[in-house]
């Protein structure tokens, strides 16, 4: 087990169109035993980061440390790392037993007996000890995935790297394997760096999530941090499904408080809210963010705090409805219980609490105010922005 540290890690590819910066000055410290999940849009540098850690890609600049050792120039086999790939990369002509034990035979001088013992333990842990004599072609996708993970476990590495390991499995199996990986991690406590496209996977597996965009680090934080306290507009938009609603607004103030003015609605805010904004910035142009689950049907009591739109789509997803409203040409996504199902084309008034509003500086796109309540109504602490008193 070990701590992993990336200092100023940079990768530039010499591509046909000129140099391409795939990873730019990435700083990241992963404490021993932590499960870190790296997310970001396609091409943001997730795999390149992982491949530099594994030694499959050279480092252009910066340092990678495992424990106290700088490993930039170490061969992959000397890094004490085990990697599980998306396509499993199993040897088709070897049995499960041989596939799992092969790496140990190559890279250690363990006795046959010791290797067999480790293979047995790893396959028991993965629930595939009845498949030891089968070849990969005779296994399902989920079983192959287990073999690939077993092969990583048997190495007893300091660090596990996973590159989209579950993406070839169907949704149900993916969920199941996710639980298995969480169990394995809690049993072994090995530092893990895991790349995925799947937000649910990231939110459920990660101790901390690393969000990359365009090769640059956007935020590192617990799943709750990145969801409730996104550092900027990019993270707020990327994390969450359906994603946060955004509206360009300007803040107008007067003696009694203020208003967030959008071209299609005006939302009154308290003096406390205005003060909290003013503590952060003098600017007047913001992007208002509101999570779909924080919006609800409005009533007469919500005067001055409603948004009116036309119902475009109603999606029934089990106990919840996703309602898509048209607000003066922009979309407002609302997540509600399925008790009330508005008619398509009808006019609907929706509202949300001031305390759930996130505000982003329209120019820098940095967060100024974070909505401070979880859906359960519990308050969360706010680090960057300050929230209003209600
Ligand atoms: P995805 O989610 O699609 O797998 P990713 O976030 O893992 O994407 P990378 O594969 O790390 O992204 O790629 C980052 C950038 O580097 C992309 O623009 C990609 O085209 C580029 N890139 C990756 N490998 C090479 C290479 N060998 N030569 C040139 N450019 C590369």
């Amino acid at each position: 087990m070990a701590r992993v540290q990336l200092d100023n890690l940079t990768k530039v590819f010499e591509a046909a169109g000129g140099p391409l910066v795939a990873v730019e000055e990435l700083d990241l410290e992963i404490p021993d035993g932590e499960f870190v999940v790296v997310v970001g849009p396609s091409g943001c540098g997730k795999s390149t980061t992982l491949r530099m850690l594994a030694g499959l890609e050279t480092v252009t600049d910066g340092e990678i440390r495992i424990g106290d050792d700088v490993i930039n120039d170490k061969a992959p086999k000397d890094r004490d790392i085990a990697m599980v790939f998306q396509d499993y990369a199993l040897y088709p002509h070897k049995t499960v037993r041989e596939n799992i034990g092969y790496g140990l035979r190559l890279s250690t001088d363990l006795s046959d007996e010791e290797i067999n013992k480790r293979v047995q333990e790893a396959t028991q842990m993965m629930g595939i000890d009845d498949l030891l004599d089968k070849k990969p072609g005779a296994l399902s996708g989920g079983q192959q995935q287990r073999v690939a993970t077993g092969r990583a476990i048997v190495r007893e590495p300091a660090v596990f790297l996973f590159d989209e390991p579950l993406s070839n499995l169907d949704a149900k199996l993916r969920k199941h394997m996710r639980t298995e990986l969480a169990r394995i991690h809690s049993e072994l406590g090995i530092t893990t760096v895991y790349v995925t496209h799947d937000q649910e996977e990231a939110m459920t597996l990660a101790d901390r999530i690393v969000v990359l965009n365009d090769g640059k680090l956007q935020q590192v934080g617990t799943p709750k941090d990145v969801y409730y306290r996104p550092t900027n507009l990019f993270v707020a938009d990327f994390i969450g499904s359906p994603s946060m609603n955004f509206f360009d607004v300007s803040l107008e103030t007067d003696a009694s408080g203020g208003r967030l003015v959008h071209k299609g609605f005006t939302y009154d805010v308290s003096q406390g809210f205005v003060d909290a904004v003013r503590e952060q910035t003098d600017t007047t142009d913001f992007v208002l963010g509101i999570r779909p689950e924080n919006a609800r049907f409005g009533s007469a009591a919500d005067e001055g705090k409603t948004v009116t739109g036309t119902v475009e789509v109603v999606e029934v997803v089990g106990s919840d409805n996703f309602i898509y409203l048209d607000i003066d040409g922009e979309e407002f996504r609302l997540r509600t219980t399925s008790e009330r199902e508005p008619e398509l084309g009808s006019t609907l008034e929706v509202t949300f609490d001031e305390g759930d509003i996130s505000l982003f500086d329209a120019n820098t796109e940095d967060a100024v105010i974070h909505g401070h309540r979880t859906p359960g109504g519990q308050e969360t602490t706010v680090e960057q922005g300050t929230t209003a008193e209600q």
Side-chain angles (χ1 to χ4, degrees):
M1 291 195 277
R3 178 175 59 105
V4 174
Q5 195 173 337
L6 311 181
D7 283 324
N8 200 36
L9 187 67
T10 299
K11 176 69 188 182
V12 183
F13 287 111
E14 289 309 325
L20 188 150
V21 184
V23 178
E24 190 171 340
E25 299 177 0
L26 177 59
D27 289 323
L28 183 62
E29 192 172 331
I30 306 172
D32 183 16
E34 191 172 64
F35 198 123
V36 159
V37 179
V38 185
V39 298
S42 190
C44 70
K46 303 184 291 294
S47 294
T48 304
T49 304
L50 209 63
R51 288 170 60 79
M52 283 193 280
L53 261 163
L56 302 173
E57 205 71 77
T58 57
V59 170
T60 308
D61 204 0
E63 274 181 354
I64 305 175
R65 280 170 206 269
I66 295 187
D68 293 328
D69 299 335
V70 176
I71 57 153
N72 287 33
D73 299 322
K74 277 196 177 174
K77 67 177 176 51
D78 298 329
R79 291 187 176 205
D80 206 2
I81 272 176
M83 183 155 171
V84 179
F85 298 89
Q86 179 175 356
D87 61 4
Y88 318 136
L90 300 176
Y91 299 106
H93 303 299
K94 292 187 192 298
T95 62
V96 167
R97 186 194 309 277
E98 289 162 347
N99 261 290
I100 295 181
Y102 188 62
L104 288 183
R105 276 183 217 292
L106 278 191
S107 61
T108 67
D109 48 14
L110 292 175
S111 67
D112 281 356
E113 196 186 344
E114 179 62 21
I115 289 174
N116 279 336
K117 187 166 154 266
R118 283 215 207 168
V119 170
Q120 199 80 40
E121 282 168 2
T123 51
Q124 267 168 8
M125 188 173 254
M126 293 309 300
I128 48 169
D129 41 339
D130 53 338
L131 304 176
L132 280 168
D133 296 317
K134 295 205 165 171
K135 293 194 174 155
L139 305 179
S140 70
Q143 289 167 334
Q144 291 186 37
Q145 212 294 321
R146 285 191 177 84
V147 176
T149 307
R151 187 173 55 181
I153 290 172
V154 85
R155 303 263 307 274
E156 299 180 1
V159 181
F160 274 139
L161 303 180
F162 288 94
D163 195 359
E164 309 225 19
L166 308 184
S167 59
N168 288 341
L169 306 178
D170 66 48
K172 196 165 169 215
L173 193 53
R174 213 157 56 215
K175 273 197 178 162
H176 180 69
M177 290 305 297
R178 196 166 78 198
T179 318
E180 298 251 304
L181 290 178
R183 177 180 60 82
I184 300 286
H185 180 254
S186 72
E187 274 178 38
L188 299 177
I190 293 179
T191 314
T192 301
V193 187
Y194 187 105
V195 164
T196 183
H197 267 109
D198 185 329
Q199 279 203 25
E200 215 177 289
E201 222 165 274
M203 295 301 263
T204 51
L205 280 174
D207 291 321
R208 285 190 307 158
I209 293 180
V210 173
V211 187
L212 296 181
N213 184 33
D214 218 3
K216 294 192 230 14
L217 182 64
Q218 303 295 309
Q219 187 167 4
V220 188
T222 63
K224 276 196 169 167
D225 275 338
V226 294
Y227 191 80
Y228 291 110
R229 293 177 288 281
T231 188
N232 59 27
L233 205 53
F234 175 83
V235 177
D237 190 26
F238 187 75
I239 302 284
S241 177
S243 54
M244 190 183 267
N245 295 290
F246 296 112
F247 299 100
D248 287 331
V249 293
S250 55
L251 176 63
E252 292 178 1
T253 55
D254 58 28
S256 63
R259 290 165 297 283
L260 294 168
V261 182
H262 173 258
K263 63 177 176 162
F265 64 87
T266 298
Y267 185 99
D268 295 342
V269 290
S270 65
Q271 187 60 46
F273 187 96
V274 173
D275 292 345
V277 175
R278 286 289 163 253
E279 266 177 36
Q280 306 280 322
T281 175
D282 289 334
T283 191
T284 51
D285 293 333
F286 298 97
V287 177
L288 179 162
I290 187 84
R291 293 269 179 211
E293 67 270 23
N294 291 138
R296 60 179 186 278
F297 300 123
S299 67
D302 304 310
E303 200 192 330
K305 288 179 177 288
T306 57
V307 175
T308 306
T310 312
V311 179
E312 297 269 288
V313 177
V314 178
E315 280 175 3
V316 182
V317 282
S319 60
D320 282 358
N321 281 345
F322 293 147
I323 298 168
Y324 296 78
L325 294 181
D326 176 78
I327 313 277
D328 216 17
E330 292 177 43
E331 188 175 85
F332 191 127
R333 296 169 292 281
L334 174 73
R335 179 175 188 157
T336 66
T337 60
S338 54
E339 281 159 21
R340 190 171 145 196
E341 204 168 299
E343 269 187 45
L344 294 185
S346 62
T347 302
L348 194 64
E349 265 197 348
V350 295
T351 190
F352 41 88
D353 291 341
E354 182 179 292
D356 289 326
I357 293 175
S358 292
L359 274 193
F360 304 88
D361 185 309
N363 295 312
T364 64
E365 301 194 347
D366 288 337
V368 176
I369 293 279
H370 292 122
H372 68 301
R373 294 185 316 169
T374 64
Q378 250 184 330
E379 294 214 353
T380 58
T381 51
V382 176
E383 282 143 24
Q384 185 181 352
T386 317
T387 48
E389 300 293 329
Q390 292 221 70

